[in-house]
Amino acid sequence: MLRDITLGQYYPAKSRIHQLDARVKIIGTLLYIVDLFVVQDFIGFAVLGAALAAVLVLARVPMGYIFRGLKPILLILIFTFFLNLFMVDGEVIWRIWILKVTKEGLYLALFMSIRLVLLITASSLLTLTTRPISLTDGLERLLSPLNRMGVPTHDIAMMMSIALRFIPTLLAEADKIMKAQQARGADFESGNVFRRGRALIPILIPLFVGAFRIAGDLAMAMEARCYRGGTGRTRMRQSVFGRVDYVALGACLVLFAAAILLRVLY
Amino acid sequence: MSIEVRDLSHIYGQGTPDEQAALQDISFVLHGGEMVALIGHTGSGKSTLVQHLNGLLKPNSGEIIVDGTDIARPGVSMLDIRRHVGLVFQYPEYQLFEETVAKDVAFGPKNLGLDAEEVDHRVREALTLVGLDYEAVKDRSPFDLSGGQKRKAAIAGVVAMRPDILILDEPTAGLDPGSHREIMEMVKRIHDSTRNITIFVTHDMNDVAALADKVLVMSRGRLLTVGSPTEVFSHRTQLSAVGLDVPPLMDLLGDLKEGGLPVRTEIFDLDEAADEICGALKKQKEK
């Protein structure tokens, strides 16, 4: 049950998108997110949706994977949809009991939902097509100008890659502890919210203790291999911008310019 | 009281591209009072098998009959299964969570719905049985105990549920020789005092030879053989083919026999083996 979480997961495949430089993908995703907030009508969304669909096809990630990533936010999605649907004042088109649906509300509810779905899909596509290592490497290089201002970019990137690396480890650990407590008769599946919350204590405490133990071991292993931060550290894989990377970056910029232009003109 | 497994099969990730048969057609019967060793190479399916025995995993096909009830069927109360079958995982000390040792050991009995008096009684009994001093440890934090003590306290947490079948998955993993011996002595002590079925997973063939009445040998998800230690260890070449050894003593005797010295090989006791070798050498000299 804990293994269903696909947030931040990598899907191994050989595709144009997978092979792009991580920096391009990070910048592209950021620009796309800005696009989503700049655009103000459904025509804009149609264009952005088409662009995302094209990338999806190129990335060769099965649709099932994308939908599974959307599942955890389904509740938030439904909540925002109905909140907008009922709470916005305006021209009433439909009345159920004390609730009224307005034209503006319907518009906004649809608008927000589409924005949210595109937002999550785009950002999960970034992690699905980029290895955590390349992702943090790319981020480190993008942030490297800040190094001169005293920001410890290498350490931030290292912390991020360790955090990502330990998601599956901690999930496996949680699974093990859960089984051990179930063997002692623990019940996580019945009772009200409070009972279920309390039932988590026998899992969470060993999990925290375990996380500290693993962190201590990792620190020791890194020191034993003479890790001392980013200074003087070289990379195994030197990423170089290729022609495809420039093309992809260009496409993102064109889309971005188009979104801005649309906003300014209308 | 008995446990019977019939044609048990389990497939991991069924329906996905990386589907893999973890267990195939496992069948065996264990009776009350038996001390059973489960051996097999890493990844042979031992841990998967023991998780089936207390309902943590459900088989894709087959039956697991504990005291007349098939626990593989849907609708069987999980709590009921766990009352009968206690499972101690590998590195059980990583599951400790309460403020005091006594409270932690009480977790299982409390989940069974016993009253406070009975719970206290069982905590005291279990801690004593695993070889901890109840008065000395009951109010201490489990995180302050030594490695070996932590493991004993964690095992007490399952023993306190008084299972009819106690399963220990590699109870001595990662322990020093002294603690290793203590834990195995403890397993024997618990078994002798309850006369229940005890199943222990191990890689130590000396423990198998010294303690087990029956040995289950697993290889690649299948049950290779079932038998007494003497029977199982007499197939030295078959065992080494699946990555398992015989106890060092039997190994030595087997080598001597292959080298031409007529000795019996099914001996688990050091003194007896020494006598056997001396006797054989004497006979050879006389000839």
Side-chain angles (χ1 to χ4, degrees):
Chain A
M1 119 181 162
L2 284 172
R3 290 179 191 183
D4 294 340
I5 300 169
T6 59
L7 192 75
Q9 226 179 40
Y10 174 70
Y11 180 84
K14 269 204 161 161
S15 79
R16 278 278 160 78
I17 304 295
H18 281 76
Q19 281 157 2
L20 277 182
D21 193 293
R23 283 170 289 175
V24 175
K25 285 188 270 190
I26 296 170
I27 295 172
T29 312
L30 286 177
L31 286 180
Y32 190 81
I33 290 170
V34 176
D35 290 348
L36 284 174
F37 286 94
V38 167
V39 159
Q40 281 203 311
D41 51 17
F42 288 109
I43 302 164
F45 274 157
V47 175
L48 288 178
L52 189 63
V55 176
L56 268 177
V57 171
L58 278 176
R60 292 203 194 138
V61 178
M63 284 317 275
Y65 250 78
I66 308 278
F67 286 127
R68 252 198 285 168
L70 282 174
K71 233 174 20 187
I73 65 138
L74 199 66
L75 205 72
I76 305 173
L77 204 65
I78 294 169
F79 184 72
T80 26
F81 182 84
F82 282 105
L83 204 68
N84 280 311
L85 193 61
F86 293 126
M87 292 302 169
V88 178
D89 284 327
E91 189 187 325
V92 178
I93 49 171
W94 208 13
R95 214 178 258 282
I96 323 158
W97 188 41
I98 56 163
L99 299 169
K100 56 183 194 317
V101 177
T102 63
K103 200 172 155 194
E104 286 79 1
L106 186 65
Y107 182 81
L108 209 62
L110 281 173
F111 197 79
M112 286 296 175
S113 306
I114 293 172
R115 184 181 273 172
L116 216 59
V117 168
L118 290 178
L119 190 74
I120 301 290
T121 312
S123 41
S124 64
L125 202 58
L126 175 67
T127 53
L128 278 169
T129 60
T130 320
R131 282 181 198 286
I133 290 286
S134 348
L135 197 65
T136 44
D137 255 11
L139 202 68
E140 186 182 344
R141 297 189 57 169
L142 281 176
L143 291 176
S144 61
L146 293 177
N147 223 341
R148 273 184 227 131
M149 290 159 58
V151 180
T153 48
H154 171 81
D155 304 66
I156 293 172
M158 179 56 89
M159 278 193 267
M160 276 187 55
S161 59
I162 290 174
L164 284 173
R165 163 66 186 76
F166 275 94
I167 293 172
T169 307
L170 287 178
L171 284 179
E173 184 85 4
D175 194 57
K176 226 162 62 186
I177 294 167
M178 220 159 130
K179 276 184 174 168
Q181 305 298 27
Q182 274 177 329
R184 293 210 278 165
D187 177 13
F188 310 118
E189 271 128 36
S190 59
N192 58 28
V193 181
F194 294 105
R195 266 195 68 150
R196 282 190 199 201
R198 272 181 60 99
L200 285 180
I201 294 173
I203 301 175
L204 289 181
I205 291 175
L207 194 59
F208 273 120
V209 175
F212 279 110
R213 189 185 66 241
I214 293 167
D217 287 352
L218 180 72
M220 190 116 71
M222 284 168 81
E223 283 207 326
R225 289 190 240 167
C226 305
Y227 178 78
R228 53 200 164 84
T231 38
R233 195 174 161 83
T234 53
R235 263 167 240 281
M236 190 168 146
R237 240 173 259 170
Q238 293 285 355
S239 51
V240 193
F241 254 58
R243 205 164 55 188
V244 190
D245 294 311
Y246 283 114
V247 171
L249 194 62
C252 291
L253 285 170
V254 167
L255 197 67
F256 182 66
I260 300 274
L261 216 62
L262 266 169
R263 172 78 182 253
V264 173
L265 290 182
Y266 294 98
Chain B
M1 191 239 325
S2 68
I3 183 163
E4 183 176 1
V5 172
R6 270 191 221 146
D7 305 320
L8 179 73
S9 292
H10 186 88
I11 299 160
Y12 273 131
Q14 198 170 29
T16 64
D18 40 25
E19 136 178 339
Q20 204 187 354
L23 295 175
Q24 281 182 66
D25 307 319
I26 308 264
S27 300
F28 60 86
V29 188
L30 306 175
H31 302 285
E34 277 182 336
M35 176 77 120
V36 183
L38 178 56
I39 60 175
H41 201 255
T42 311
S44 59
K46 305 180 301 276
S47 292
T48 311
L49 176 62
V50 294
Q51 285 182 40
H52 277 86
L53 298 183
N54 87 335
L56 281 172
L57 290 175
K58 292 282 179 190
N60 291 77
S61 65
E63 295 171 338
I64 304 159
I65 299 154
V66 178
D67 242 356
T69 345
D70 181 5
I71 65 168
R73 266 200 344 251
V76 182
S77 148
M78 283 298 139
L79 206 58
D80 244 12
I81 299 172
R82 272 142 215 175
R83 198 188 308 271
H84 287 298
V85 186
L87 173 57
V88 178
F89 272 83
Q90 263 176 50
Y91 296 99
E93 60 271 27
Y94 294 160
Q95 70 184 29
L96 296 167
F97 69 98
E98 274 286 9
E99 294 154 54
T100 70
V101 173
K103 275 191 192 171
D104 203 282
V105 176
F107 181 67
K110 265 191 196 154
N111 284 330
L112 294 180
L114 302 168
D115 60 61
E117 204 178 320
E118 176 66 16
V119 169
D120 279 348
H121 173 69
R122 286 200 183 188
V123 170
R124 183 185 289 265
E125 179 193 75
L127 281 171
T128 314
L129 203 52
V130 296
L132 290 174
D133 181 354
Y134 174 76
E135 294 299 334
V137 299
K138 68 171 170 142
D139 293 324
R140 286 178 67 186
S141 160
F143 298 103
D144 289 341
L145 301 177
S146 73
Q149 284 177 319
K150 267 188 202 169
R151 186 159 301 181
K152 286 180 189 170
I155 294 173
V158 175
V159 171
M161 296 170 80
R162 282 199 199 149
D164 302 325
I165 297 156
L166 178 65
I167 307 169
L168 301 113
D169 193 352
E170 290 191 43
T172 58
L175 290 181
D176 59 86
S179 304
H180 179 125
R181 205 177 323 115
E182 268 183 47
I183 294 283
M184 287 325 289
E185 277 164 10
M186 176 206 82
V187 171
K188 178 149 176 43
R189 191 164 60 238
I190 295 169
H191 182 74
D192 288 343
S193 79
T194 56
R195 298 311 300 165
N196 291 334
I197 299 178
T198 305
I199 304 173
F200 64 99
V201 177
T202 187
H203 288 292
D204 188 314
M205 297 307 151
N206 275 328
D207 288 342
V208 177
L211 296 172
D213 304 314
K214 199 181 246 183
V215 187
L216 305 176
V217 186
M218 299 272 301
S219 173
R220 296 172 175 219
R222 289 177 184 278
L223 188 62
L224 211 62
T225 38
V226 184
S228 69
T230 320
E231 282 161 18
V232 168
F233 288 139
S234 66
H235 307 290
R236 191 158 70 133
T237 37
Q238 283 98 314
L239 282 179
S240 85
V242 296
L244 293 172
D245 295 325
V246 299
L249 204 55
M250 283 187 84
D251 216 24
L252 172 69
L253 292 167
D255 283 348
L256 285 174
K257 195 176 181 183
E258 272 169 28
L261 192 68
V263 284
R264 285 188 298 123
T265 53
E266 53 281 355
I267 297 171
F268 299 140
D269 183 71
L270 188 61
D271 290 335
E272 203 187 331
D275 287 347
E276 177 73 18
I277 295 171
C278 286
L281 283 173
K282 230 178 250 169
K283 254 185 230 162
Q284 209 174 41
K285 229 179 188 176
E286 282 163 13
K287 271 181 200 166

